Amino acid sequence: MNITVEIGDFRQSETDAVLIPVLEDDFHNELILAADAALEGRIQAFLNLGDFKGKPKTTSVLYTNGAITAPRIILVGLGVYAELNAEKVRQVAGHTARQARDMGLKSITVPIPPETQDDWAQAAVEASLLSLYEFKQHKTQKDDNEDEDKTLESMTLLVGSEVEKSSLERIVERGQTIAKGTILARDLSNQPGNHLTPTQLAEKAEEVAETVRLNCTVFDKPTLEEKGFRTLLAVAQGSAEDPRFIILEYTPEGEGHDTVALVGKGITFDTGGISLKSGGGMHEMKHDMSGAAAVLGAMQVIGHLKPNVRVVGVIATTENMPGSTAIKPGDVVTSYGGKTIEILNTDAEGRLILADALGWTAQYEPQGVIDLATLTGAVITCLGHVAAGAMGTDDALMEKIKKAAEKTHERVWELPLWDDYDEGVKSKVADVQNIGDGTAGTLAGGAFLKKFAEGYPWVHLDIAGTAWGMKGSTYIPETASGYGVRLLVQLVEDW
Ligand SMILES: [Zn+2]
């Protein structure tokens, strides 16, 4: 959908519908009064009937019969003013954009009241675009109930002055950029394993880097061998597909900037390896690279928005397959940093590849490292599909992430990473083992990673619950959510 900002009067709008926002506790704002006057009192008469109360995520269509240029006015409920916030705006915008599309409208106009807050406007832009997302790349035929023409093509935002126009245009540009990054992450995560191998993910990263002018380095298998990425290679050794290690770097102009590293788990398909997963639902393991997708999506946005902090994106990517060459339970491998790991379950492979990635990241001397990984099913038991489990070694970094999560509604909930949990990952034969004692599985993952995230402030986000399977949002589908892109962008922008 194309979004433009224009100066003008909604009465002359030539689009399919004009959207008029209505607060539950104020039926008399300027815009409603103007629309009501244009329709000779029909709006107030309609509101007085009580059929439409202005509740959030409700709309009502009035036909204008030539009273204004557009054939329809759609009243859009916003709820009570005191309860309005960015997330409410996102939910309303997502609901309304989907509804306009489902009605078969091609173009809509939204008059923007001058008192609209910038973050609400950005929220509305992002959610409108994200709500219309579909993944249909592999469909060659339309579904039975699908109408070919249902595409909402354009949204015109109307303002009153040149100053408002240029300010809103900047906000729209930001919102579009962030939505595009989130959609990139969704597309990558939704891509089946045979259409997104580690090699293809690395090619995509190179393409993104080229477009937004980031530095990009990709290590192939011989380079990984030479540099000692032994745990990444160990996980990859059961697969016919070679692993890759991807580094994307954004450096702002000038000197003395902090460095933030974003580290993503990129298992393009996870069978569990020799500790094979059960068949039901295994196809969802194509999403096991959602951490990598979030990092790549965020780096694309960062390349566009150019925040005032150096950002390094690090992605370790491989398949996890069973086979005669695969790692076996009981095997001991040595990480990039030299620690030995006893592999007791080959399905706990994400933390193995992250061990190398976190070890590698220390050389950038970062002021903050955030890793994102679809790490444990246990985090879904704990937090459902609502929030990522956050754990780390630095309170200040954790606070920054919580603030960014609050603003973007990409929720996180802090879990305790006390030393007490270290006991669970102690191995009898190596420095550490890759699973705990069967309790607090999410924290065993965190306790394991902590051994490798040394020398910098670090937070681990377990996104196994939020990467896909979210329900009840108007702008996030139940398939890949693109979770993490908006959060990471907000974090580095506010750094
Ligand atoms: Zn696994």
Side-chain angles (χ1 to χ4, degrees):
M1 180 173 63
N2 192 26
I3 303 179
T4 51
V5 184
E6 286 174 18
I7 301 173
D9 187 324
F10 70 86
R11 282 164 285 218
Q12 274 97 52
S13 162
E14 289 180 357
T15 56
D16 294 337
V18 172
L19 274 52
I20 303 287
V22 180
L23 285 162
E24 212 175 323
D25 50 353
D26 180 12
F27 285 174
H28 298 91
N29 73 50
E30 232 173 277
L31 212 48
I32 298 175
L33 294 178
D36 188 51
L39 266 59
E40 291 169 348
R42 281 166 50 208
I43 291 186
Q44 286 300 342
F46 177 71
L47 290 173
N48 290 341
L49 280 176
D51 295 7
F52 176 79
K53 297 188 169 63
K55 295 219 175 283
K57 296 194 274 181
T58 63
T59 53
S60 213
V61 184
L62 297 178
Y63 296 92
T64 62
N65 301 334
I68 64 170
T69 312
R72 302 170 191 84
I73 279 182
I74 302 181
L75 302 178
V76 177
L78 285 176
V80 176
Y81 183 75
E83 290 171 7
L84 208 51
N85 56 37
E87 178 59 11
K88 284 256 169 67
V89 171
R90 282 185 207 104
Q91 293 299 339
V92 167
H95 174 82
T96 310
R98 280 182 183 178
Q99 204 179 29
R101 177 195 59 193
D102 294 345
M103 283 171 67
L105 305 187
K106 295 268 175 273
S107 57
I108 54 175
T109 295
V110 189
I112 306 293
E115 63 275 12
T116 305
Q117 295 179 22
D118 288 359
D119 59 331
W120 292 3
Q122 187 185 322
V125 168
E126 286 173 17
S128 303
L129 293 165
L130 292 174
S131 69
L132 300 173
Y133 174 80
E134 291 173 310
F135 184 73
K136 290 191 168 169
Q137 212 180 309
H138 301 294
K139 293 239 186 211
T140 64
Q141 291 174 344
K142 303 249 166 248
D143 292 340
D144 292 345
N145 56 356
E146 212 173 16
D147 186 332
E148 193 160 356
D149 293 313
K150 284 192 176 167
T151 307
L152 181 58
E153 288 164 0
S154 74
M155 177 159 78
T156 307
L157 308 180
L158 280 188
V159 293
S161 72
E162 204 56 64
V163 178
E164 288 171 69
K165 180 170 182 254
S166 57
S167 155
L168 188 56
E169 273 173 344
R170 275 196 300 277
I171 293 165
V172 168
E173 167 82 25
R174 280 181 60 81
Q176 280 174 324
T177 303
I178 292 168
K180 271 186 199 157
T182 304
I183 285 168
L184 169 63
R186 287 180 183 176
D187 276 344
L188 290 168
S189 179
N190 280 326
Q191 205 59 267
N194 66 329
H195 287 269
L196 190 78
T197 62
T199 307
Q200 287 168 314
L201 180 57
E203 284 165 3
K204 188 70 199 175
E206 283 170 332
E207 194 186 305
V208 168
E210 171 99 28
T211 315
V212 297
R213 293 164 187 258
L214 301 170
N215 249 330
C216 181
T217 311
V218 175
F219 295 158
D220 60 7
K221 195 177 170 195
T223 312
L224 292 170
E225 280 164 351
E226 184 192 312
K227 290 188 182 291
F229 283 75
R230 288 166 294 243
T231 52
L232 174 57
L233 287 161
V235 174
Q237 75 191 32
S239 170
E241 293 288 342
D242 278 358
R244 289 287 185 275
F245 192 78
I246 305 161
I247 305 150
L248 296 152
E249 289 178 82
Y250 160 75
T251 311
E253 289 191 13
E255 309 257 305
H257 297 285
D258 275 3
T259 298
V260 177
L262 313 175
V263 179
K265 168 186 168 184
I267 299 289
T268 59
F269 195 79
D270 183 15
T271 63
I274 297 297
S275 313
L276 194 65
K277 289 177 185 291
S278 59
M282 199 204 270
H283 65 281
E284 291 187 337
M285 289 300 113
K286 67 181 180 181
H287 297 302
D288 209 15
M289 34 54 69
S290 297
V295 169
L296 188 49
M299 290 307 292
Q300 176 176 291
V301 180
I302 287 162
H304 270 295
L305 297 184
K306 306 195 189 310
N308 225 359
V309 59
R310 178 175 176 235
V311 188
V312 183
V314 174
I315 292 169
T317 176
T318 174
E319 283 186 340
N320 183 26
M321 301 290 279
S324 63
T325 59
I327 43 169
K328 304 168 291 295
D331 282 2
V332 173
V333 293
T334 306
S335 74
Y336 176 82
K339 286 197 174 119
T340 57
I341 304 163
E342 183 186 14
I343 300 169
L344 289 180
N345 187 323
T346 66
D347 195 11
E349 82 299 329
R351 64 199 70 180
L352 295 176
I353 68 171
L354 286 175
D356 275 2
L358 291 170
W360 168 267
T361 301
Q363 68 187 278
Y364 302 105
E365 299 179 355
Q367 279 68 43
V369 176
I370 302 94
D371 80 70
L372 291 90
T374 45
L375 212 74
T376 65
V379 82
I380 306 174
T381 308
C382 185
L383 298 169
H385 296 283
V386 171
M391 55 220 92
T393 53
D394 188 85
D395 288 344
L397 180 60
M398 185 65 81
E399 278 313 306
K400 284 185 178 184
I401 290 171
K402 284 180 186 172
K403 282 207 177 95
E406 188 67 35
K407 284 188 185 176
T408 55
H409 204 77
E410 292 202 318
R411 295 194 136 161
V412 302
W413 189 254
E414 185 176 358
L415 302 171
L417 200 56
W418 295 314
D419 292 346
D420 311 50
Y421 291 106
D422 294 353
E423 200 59 34
V425 292
K426 257 188 193 158
S427 163
K428 292 192 175 67
V429 300
D431 298 339
V432 62
Q433 64 185 39
N434 79 327
I435 51 169
D437 59 8
T439 64
T442 302
L443 293 163
F448 175 90
L449 292 174
K450 191 171 73 171
K451 305 270 179 210
F452 303 90
E454 289 180 323
Y456 48 71
W458 162 76
V459 166
H460 159 58
L461 296 179
D462 192 333
I463 62 166
T466 49
W468 76 96
M470 281 183 155
K471 290 183 178 73
S473 175
T474 63
Y475 67 97
I476 304 171
E478 268 191 60
T479 56
S481 63
Y483 176 95
V485 173
R486 293 185 302 115
L487 173 72
L488 293 175
V489 169
Q490 191 71 51
L491 176 76
V492 299
E493 287 228 299
D494 292 348
W495 190 263

Short mmCIF file of all heavy atoms in Angstrom, two decimals, residues 170-223:
data_model
loop_
_atom_site.label_atom_id
_atom_site.label_comp_id
_atom_site.label_asym_id
_atom_site.label_seq_id
_atom_site.Cartn_x
_atom_site.Cartn_y
_atom_site.Cartn_z
N ARG A 170 7.94 12.89 7.20
CA ARG A 170 9.09 12.24 7.86
C ARG A 170 8.62 11.04 8.68
O ARG A 170 9.24 9.99 8.70
CB ARG A 170 9.82 13.24 8.77
CG ARG A 170 10.85 14.10 8.03
CD ARG A 170 11.80 14.78 9.02
NE ARG A 170 11.09 15.65 9.96
CZ ARG A 170 10.72 16.91 9.66
NH1 ARG A 170 11.01 17.42 8.48
NH2 ARG A 170 10.09 17.65 10.55
N ILE A 171 7.50 11.22 9.37
CA ILE A 171 6.96 10.13 10.21
C ILE A 171 6.52 8.96 9.33
O ILE A 171 6.79 7.79 9.65
CB ILE A 171 5.78 10.65 11.06
CG1 ILE A 171 6.31 11.66 12.09
CG2 ILE A 171 5.05 9.52 11.75
CD1 ILE A 171 5.22 12.50 12.74
N VAL A 172 5.88 9.27 8.22
CA VAL A 172 5.42 8.22 7.30
C VAL A 172 6.61 7.44 6.76
O VAL A 172 6.62 6.20 6.73
CB VAL A 172 4.59 8.82 6.14
CG1 VAL A 172 4.37 7.79 5.04
CG2 VAL A 172 3.26 9.34 6.65
N GLU A 173 7.65 8.17 6.39
CA GLU A 173 8.88 7.54 5.87
C GLU A 173 9.48 6.57 6.90
O GLU A 173 9.83 5.43 6.58
CB GLU A 173 9.87 8.67 5.52
CG GLU A 173 11.30 8.25 5.25
CD GLU A 173 11.50 7.74 3.83
OE1 GLU A 173 10.71 8.15 2.97
OE2 GLU A 173 12.42 6.93 3.62
N ARG A 174 9.55 7.01 8.15
CA ARG A 174 10.05 6.15 9.23
C ARG A 174 9.19 4.91 9.38
O ARG A 174 9.69 3.79 9.46
CB ARG A 174 10.00 6.90 10.57
CG ARG A 174 11.10 7.87 10.85
CD ARG A 174 10.87 8.49 12.24
NE ARG A 174 10.86 7.45 13.25
CZ ARG A 174 11.97 6.93 13.76
NH1 ARG A 174 13.14 7.38 13.38
NH2 ARG A 174 11.89 5.98 14.65
N GLY A 175 7.89 5.14 9.47
CA GLY A 175 6.95 4.03 9.67
C GLY A 175 7.04 3.01 8.54
O GLY A 175 7.04 1.81 8.79
N GLN A 176 7.14 3.52 7.31
CA GLN A 176 7.24 2.61 6.16
C GLN A 176 8.52 1.80 6.22
O GLN A 176 8.53 0.60 5.95
CB GLN A 176 7.22 3.42 4.86
CG GLN A 176 5.83 3.85 4.45
CD GLN A 176 5.85 4.78 3.23
OE1 GLN A 176 6.75 5.60 3.09
NE2 GLN A 176 4.86 4.66 2.38
N THR A 177 9.62 2.47 6.58
CA THR A 177 10.92 1.79 6.65
C THR A 177 10.91 0.68 7.69
O THR A 177 11.38 -0.43 7.46
CB THR A 177 12.02 2.83 7.00
OG1 THR A 177 11.97 3.85 6.01
CG2 THR A 177 13.38 2.21 7.01
N ILE A 178 10.32 1.00 8.84
CA ILE A 178 10.27 0.01 9.93
C ILE A 178 9.34 -1.14 9.55
O ILE A 178 9.65 -2.31 9.79
CB ILE A 178 9.85 0.69 11.25
CG1 ILE A 178 10.97 1.65 11.70
CG2 ILE A 178 9.55 -0.34 12.33
CD1 ILE A 178 10.59 2.60 12.81
N ALA A 179 8.20 -0.83 8.92
CA ALA A 179 7.29 -1.89 8.48
C ALA A 179 7.96 -2.78 7.44
O ALA A 179 7.84 -4.01 7.49
CB ALA A 179 6.01 -1.28 7.90
N LYS A 180 8.73 -2.19 6.53
CA LYS A 180 9.42 -2.98 5.51
C LYS A 180 10.42 -3.95 6.13
O LYS A 180 10.55 -5.08 5.69
CB LYS A 180 10.15 -2.06 4.52
CG LYS A 180 9.29 -1.65 3.34
CD LYS A 180 10.13 -0.86 2.34
CE LYS A 180 9.22 -0.07 1.42
NZ LYS A 180 9.91 1.08 0.81
N GLY A 181 11.15 -3.47 7.15
CA GLY A 181 12.10 -4.34 7.85
C GLY A 181 11.40 -5.50 8.53
O GLY A 181 11.87 -6.64 8.52
N THR A 182 10.24 -5.20 9.13
CA THR A 182 9.46 -6.25 9.81
C THR A 182 8.93 -7.25 8.78
O THR A 182 8.93 -8.47 9.03
CB THR A 182 8.29 -5.60 10.59
OG1 THR A 182 8.83 -4.63 11.48
CG2 THR A 182 7.51 -6.63 11.38
N ILE A 183 8.51 -6.74 7.63
CA ILE A 183 7.99 -7.63 6.58
C ILE A 183 9.11 -8.49 6.00
O ILE A 183 8.91 -9.68 5.71
CB ILE A 183 7.26 -6.78 5.50
CG1 ILE A 183 5.91 -6.33 6.07
CG2 ILE A 183 7.08 -7.56 4.20
CD1 ILE A 183 5.19 -5.27 5.27
N LEU A 184 10.31 -7.93 5.89
CA LEU A 184 11.45 -8.75 5.46
C LEU A 184 11.66 -9.91 6.43
O LEU A 184 11.83 -11.06 6.03
CB LEU A 184 12.72 -7.88 5.39
CG LEU A 184 14.05 -8.65 5.22
CD1 LEU A 184 14.09 -9.41 3.90
CD2 LEU A 184 15.26 -7.71 5.32
N ALA A 185 11.61 -9.61 7.73
CA ALA A 185 11.80 -10.66 8.75
C ALA A 185 10.69 -11.71 8.64
O ALA A 185 10.95 -12.92 8.73
CB ALA A 185 11.84 -10.04 10.14
N ARG A 186 9.45 -11.27 8.43
CA ARG A 186 8.34 -12.22 8.28
C ARG A 186 8.54 -13.11 7.06
O ARG A 186 8.35 -14.33 7.13
CB ARG A 186 7.01 -11.46 8.13
CG ARG A 186 6.51 -10.82 9.40
CD ARG A 186 5.19 -10.09 9.13
NE ARG A 186 4.72 -9.41 10.33
CZ ARG A 186 3.64 -8.64 10.35
NH1 ARG A 186 2.93 -8.44 9.24
NH2 ARG A 186 3.25 -8.07 11.49
N ASP A 187 8.90 -12.49 5.95
CA ASP A 187 9.10 -13.25 4.71
C ASP A 187 10.18 -14.32 4.89
O ASP A 187 10.00 -15.46 4.47
CB ASP A 187 9.51 -12.32 3.57
CG ASP A 187 8.30 -11.66 2.89
OD1 ASP A 187 7.17 -12.15 3.09
OD2 ASP A 187 8.50 -10.68 2.16
N LEU A 188 11.29 -13.94 5.51
CA LEU A 188 12.38 -14.89 5.70
C LEU A 188 11.93 -16.03 6.61
O LEU A 188 12.19 -17.20 6.34
CB LEU A 188 13.60 -14.19 6.32
CG LEU A 188 14.34 -13.21 5.41
CD1 LEU A 188 15.33 -12.38 6.23
CD2 LEU A 188 15.07 -13.95 4.29
N SER A 189 11.24 -15.67 7.69
CA SER A 189 10.82 -16.68 8.65
C SER A 189 9.79 -17.63 8.05
O SER A 189 9.80 -18.84 8.33
CB SER A 189 10.28 -15.99 9.90
OG SER A 189 9.86 -16.95 10.84
N ASN A 190 8.89 -17.11 7.22
CA ASN A 190 7.86 -17.94 6.60
C ASN A 190 8.40 -18.83 5.49
O ASN A 190 7.74 -19.79 5.07
CB ASN A 190 6.75 -17.05 6.00
CG ASN A 190 5.78 -16.58 7.06
OD1 ASN A 190 5.49 -17.29 8.03
ND2 ASN A 190 5.24 -15.37 6.88
N GLN A 191 9.59 -18.50 4.99
CA GLN A 191 10.13 -19.24 3.86
C GLN A 191 10.44 -20.69 4.27
O GLN A 191 11.10 -20.91 5.27
CB GLN A 191 11.40 -18.52 3.39
CG GLN A 191 11.79 -18.72 1.97
CD GLN A 191 10.75 -18.30 0.96
OE1 GLN A 191 9.95 -19.13 0.54
NE2 GLN A 191 10.75 -17.04 0.56
N PRO A 192 9.96 -21.67 3.48
CA PRO A 192 10.27 -23.06 3.80
C PRO A 192 11.78 -23.32 3.78
O PRO A 192 12.53 -22.61 3.09
CB PRO A 192 9.59 -23.84 2.67
CG PRO A 192 8.58 -22.92 2.09
CD PRO A 192 9.10 -21.53 2.30
N GLY A 193 12.20 -24.35 4.50
CA GLY A 193 13.62 -24.66 4.62
C GLY A 193 14.30 -24.92 3.28
O GLY A 193 15.49 -24.63 3.12
N ASN A 194 13.56 -25.47 2.31
CA ASN A 194 14.20 -25.74 1.01
C ASN A 194 14.29 -24.49 0.14
O ASN A 194 14.90 -24.50 -0.92
CB ASN A 194 13.47 -26.86 0.26
CG ASN A 194 12.07 -26.49 -0.16
OD1 ASN A 194 11.41 -25.70 0.52
ND2 ASN A 194 11.59 -27.04 -1.25
N HIS A 195 13.64 -23.41 0.58
CA HIS A 195 13.75 -22.14 -0.15
C HIS A 195 14.61 -21.12 0.59
O HIS A 195 14.81 -20.02 0.11
CB HIS A 195 12.35 -21.54 -0.40
CG HIS A 195 11.59 -22.29 -1.45
ND1 HIS A 195 11.64 -21.96 -2.78
CD2 HIS A 195 10.78 -23.37 -1.35
CE1 HIS A 195 10.88 -22.80 -3.48
NE2 HIS A 195 10.35 -23.66 -2.64
N LEU A 196 15.03 -21.47 1.79
CA LEU A 196 15.94 -20.58 2.51
C LEU A 196 16.99 -21.43 3.24
O LEU A 196 16.83 -21.77 4.41
CB LEU A 196 15.19 -19.68 3.51
CG LEU A 196 16.10 -18.59 4.09
CD1 LEU A 196 16.29 -17.43 3.12
CD2 LEU A 196 15.57 -18.07 5.42
N THR A 197 18.04 -21.75 2.52
CA THR A 197 19.16 -22.47 3.12
C THR A 197 20.11 -21.44 3.74
O THR A 197 19.96 -20.24 3.48
CB THR A 197 19.90 -23.26 2.02
OG1 THR A 197 20.41 -22.30 1.08
CG2 THR A 197 18.96 -24.23 1.31
N PRO A 198 21.09 -21.88 4.51
CA PRO A 198 22.07 -20.92 5.06
C PRO A 198 22.74 -20.11 3.95
O PRO A 198 22.95 -18.90 4.10
CB PRO A 198 23.07 -21.83 5.76
CG PRO A 198 22.26 -23.02 6.18
CD PRO A 198 21.28 -23.24 5.07
N THR A 199 23.03 -20.75 2.83
CA THR A 199 23.65 -20.03 1.71
C THR A 199 22.71 -18.94 1.18
O THR A 199 23.14 -17.80 0.93
CB THR A 199 23.97 -21.02 0.56
OG1 THR A 199 24.74 -22.08 1.11
CG2 THR A 199 24.74 -20.35 -0.56
N GLN A 200 21.43 -19.29 1.04
CA GLN A 200 20.46 -18.30 0.55
C GLN A 200 20.24 -17.16 1.54
O GLN A 200 20.06 -16.01 1.14
CB GLN A 200 19.14 -19.00 0.20
CG GLN A 200 19.26 -19.82 -1.08
CD GLN A 200 18.07 -20.75 -1.29
OE1 GLN A 200 17.63 -21.45 -0.36
NE2 GLN A 200 17.54 -20.78 -2.50
N LEU A 201 20.27 -17.49 2.84
CA LEU A 201 20.14 -16.44 3.85
C LEU A 201 21.32 -15.47 3.76
O LEU A 201 21.15 -14.25 3.85
CB LEU A 201 20.05 -17.07 5.25
CG LEU A 201 19.90 -16.11 6.44
CD1 LEU A 201 18.67 -15.21 6.30
CD2 LEU A 201 19.83 -16.88 7.76
N ALA A 202 22.52 -16.02 3.55
CA ALA A 202 23.71 -15.17 3.42
C ALA A 202 23.62 -14.29 2.17
O ALA A 202 24.00 -13.12 2.18
CB ALA A 202 24.97 -16.03 3.38
N GLU A 203 23.09 -14.87 1.09
CA GLU A 203 22.92 -14.07 -0.15
C GLU A 203 21.94 -12.93 0.08
O GLU A 203 22.13 -11.81 -0.40
CB GLU A 203 22.43 -14.97 -1.29
CG GLU A 203 23.55 -15.84 -1.86
CD GLU A 203 23.03 -16.99 -2.74
OE1 GLU A 203 21.81 -17.09 -2.97
OE2 GLU A 203 23.88 -17.78 -3.18
N LYS A 204 20.88 -13.24 0.82
CA LYS A 204 19.88 -12.20 1.14
C LYS A 204 20.53 -11.08 1.96
O LYS A 204 20.28 -9.89 1.74
CB LYS A 204 18.71 -12.84 1.90
CG LYS A 204 17.54 -11.94 2.11
CD LYS A 204 16.80 -11.64 0.81
CE LYS A 204 15.95 -10.41 0.95
NZ LYS A 204 15.32 -10.02 -0.32
N ALA A 205 21.36 -11.48 2.93
CA ALA A 205 22.05 -10.49 3.77
C ALA A 205 22.94 -9.59 2.92
O ALA A 205 22.98 -8.37 3.11
CB ALA A 205 22.86 -11.19 4.85
N GLU A 206 23.62 -10.20 1.95
CA GLU A 206 24.50 -9.41 1.07
C GLU A 206 23.68 -8.42 0.23
O GLU A 206 24.09 -7.28 0.02
CB GLU A 206 25.31 -10.34 0.16
CG GLU A 206 26.48 -10.97 0.91
CD GLU A 206 27.17 -12.09 0.13
OE1 GLU A 206 26.52 -12.75 -0.71
OE2 GLU A 206 28.37 -12.32 0.38
N GLU A 207 22.51 -8.89 -0.20
CA GLU A 207 21.62 -8.04 -0.99
C GLU A 207 21.13 -6.83 -0.15
O GLU A 207 21.15 -5.69 -0.61
CB GLU A 207 20.44 -8.91 -1.42
CG GLU A 207 19.54 -8.39 -2.48
CD GLU A 207 18.36 -9.35 -2.65
OE1 GLU A 207 18.58 -10.57 -2.87
OE2 GLU A 207 17.21 -8.89 -2.51
N VAL A 208 20.72 -7.11 1.08
CA VAL A 208 20.26 -6.04 1.98
C VAL A 208 21.40 -5.05 2.22
O VAL A 208 21.22 -3.84 2.15
CB VAL A 208 19.76 -6.63 3.32
CG1 VAL A 208 19.55 -5.54 4.37
CG2 VAL A 208 18.46 -7.41 3.10
N ALA A 209 22.59 -5.59 2.50
CA ALA A 209 23.76 -4.74 2.80
C ALA A 209 24.07 -3.82 1.62
O ALA A 209 24.35 -2.64 1.80
CB ALA A 209 24.96 -5.61 3.12
N GLU A 210 23.98 -4.37 0.43
CA GLU A 210 24.23 -3.60 -0.79
C GLU A 210 23.22 -2.45 -0.92
O GLU A 210 23.58 -1.31 -1.20
CB GLU A 210 24.11 -4.58 -1.98
CG GLU A 210 24.13 -3.94 -3.34
CD GLU A 210 25.50 -4.03 -3.98
OE1 GLU A 210 26.24 -4.98 -3.66
OE2 GLU A 210 25.81 -3.15 -4.78
N THR A 211 21.95 -2.77 -0.68
CA THR A 211 20.88 -1.77 -0.83
C THR A 211 21.01 -0.62 0.15
O THR A 211 20.81 0.53 -0.20
CB THR A 211 19.50 -2.44 -0.64
OG1 THR A 211 19.48 -3.66 -1.36
CG2 THR A 211 18.37 -1.55 -1.13
N VAL A 212 21.30 -0.93 1.42
CA VAL A 212 21.34 0.14 2.43
C VAL A 212 22.77 0.49 2.84
O VAL A 212 22.99 1.18 3.83
CB VAL A 212 20.48 -0.20 3.68
CG1 VAL A 212 19.02 -0.32 3.30
CG2 VAL A 212 20.95 -1.46 4.37
N ARG A 213 23.74 0.02 2.07
CA ARG A 213 25.15 0.36 2.27
C ARG A 213 25.68 0.01 3.65
O ARG A 213 26.16 0.85 4.41
CB ARG A 213 25.38 1.84 2.00
CG ARG A 213 25.17 2.20 0.54
CD ARG A 213 25.03 3.69 0.39
NE ARG A 213 24.67 4.01 -0.97
CZ ARG A 213 25.52 4.47 -1.88
NH1 ARG A 213 26.76 4.70 -1.59
NH2 ARG A 213 25.12 4.73 -3.11
N LEU A 214 25.55 -1.27 3.99
CA LEU A 214 26.19 -1.78 5.21
C LEU A 214 27.41 -2.58 4.77
O LEU A 214 27.43 -3.13 3.67
CB LEU A 214 25.24 -2.71 5.96
CG LEU A 214 23.90 -2.16 6.42
CD1 LEU A 214 23.02 -3.29 6.93
CD2 LEU A 214 24.09 -1.11 7.52
N ASN A 215 28.39 -2.68 5.67
CA ASN A 215 29.49 -3.60 5.42
C ASN A 215 28.99 -5.02 5.63
O ASN A 215 28.32 -5.27 6.63
CB ASN A 215 30.62 -3.33 6.41
CG ASN A 215 31.81 -2.75 5.72
OD1 ASN A 215 32.05 -3.05 4.54
ND2 ASN A 215 32.55 -1.93 6.42
N CYS A 216 29.31 -5.93 4.77
CA CYS A 216 28.84 -7.31 4.96
C CYS A 216 29.98 -8.29 4.71
O CYS A 216 30.67 -8.21 3.69
CB CYS A 216 27.68 -7.60 4.01
SG CYS A 216 27.01 -9.25 4.19
N THR A 217 30.19 -9.18 5.67
CA THR A 217 31.20 -10.23 5.52
C THR A 217 30.51 -11.56 5.73
O THR A 217 29.73 -11.71 6.69
CB THR A 217 32.32 -10.09 6.58
OG1 THR A 217 32.75 -8.72 6.58
CG2 THR A 217 33.48 -11.00 6.31
N VAL A 218 30.75 -12.53 4.86
CA VAL A 218 30.18 -13.86 5.04
C VAL A 218 31.31 -14.88 5.08
O VAL A 218 32.15 -14.92 4.19
CB VAL A 218 29.20 -14.19 3.88
CG1 VAL A 218 28.70 -15.63 4.00
CG2 VAL A 218 28.02 -13.22 3.87
N PHE A 219 31.34 -15.69 6.15
CA PHE A 219 32.33 -16.78 6.23
C PHE A 219 31.70 -18.05 5.67
O PHE A 219 30.63 -18.46 6.11
CB PHE A 219 32.74 -17.03 7.69
CG PHE A 219 33.48 -15.88 8.33
CD1 PHE A 219 33.51 -15.77 9.72
CD2 PHE A 219 34.15 -14.93 7.56
CE1 PHE A 219 34.18 -14.71 10.33
CE2 PHE A 219 34.84 -13.87 8.17
CZ PHE A 219 34.84 -13.77 9.56
N ASP A 220 32.38 -18.67 4.71
CA ASP A 220 31.92 -19.97 4.21
C ASP A 220 32.58 -21.07 5.05
O ASP A 220 33.33 -20.79 5.98
CB ASP A 220 32.21 -20.10 2.71
CG ASP A 220 33.69 -19.99 2.42
OD1 ASP A 220 34.51 -19.93 3.37
OD2 ASP A 220 34.04 -19.94 1.22
N LYS A 221 32.31 -22.32 4.67
CA LYS A 221 32.77 -23.43 5.51
C LYS A 221 34.30 -23.48 5.68
O LYS A 221 34.78 -23.59 6.82
CB LYS A 221 32.24 -24.75 4.93
CG LYS A 221 32.35 -25.90 5.89
CD LYS A 221 31.74 -27.16 5.30
CE LYS A 221 32.07 -28.37 6.14
NZ LYS A 221 31.80 -29.61 5.42
N PRO A 222 35.07 -23.36 4.60
CA PRO A 222 36.54 -23.38 4.80
C PRO A 222 37.02 -22.25 5.72
O PRO A 222 37.91 -22.47 6.55
CB PRO A 222 37.09 -23.19 3.37
CG PRO A 222 35.99 -23.63 2.46
CD PRO A 222 34.71 -23.33 3.16
N THR A 223 36.40 -21.07 5.61
CA THR A 223 36.80 -19.96 6.49
C THR A 223 36.43 -20.25 7.94
O THR A 223 37.18 -19.95 8.86
CB THR A 223 36.12 -18.65 6.01
OG1 THR A 223 36.30 -18.53 4.60
CG2 THR A 223 36.70 -17.44 6.71
#
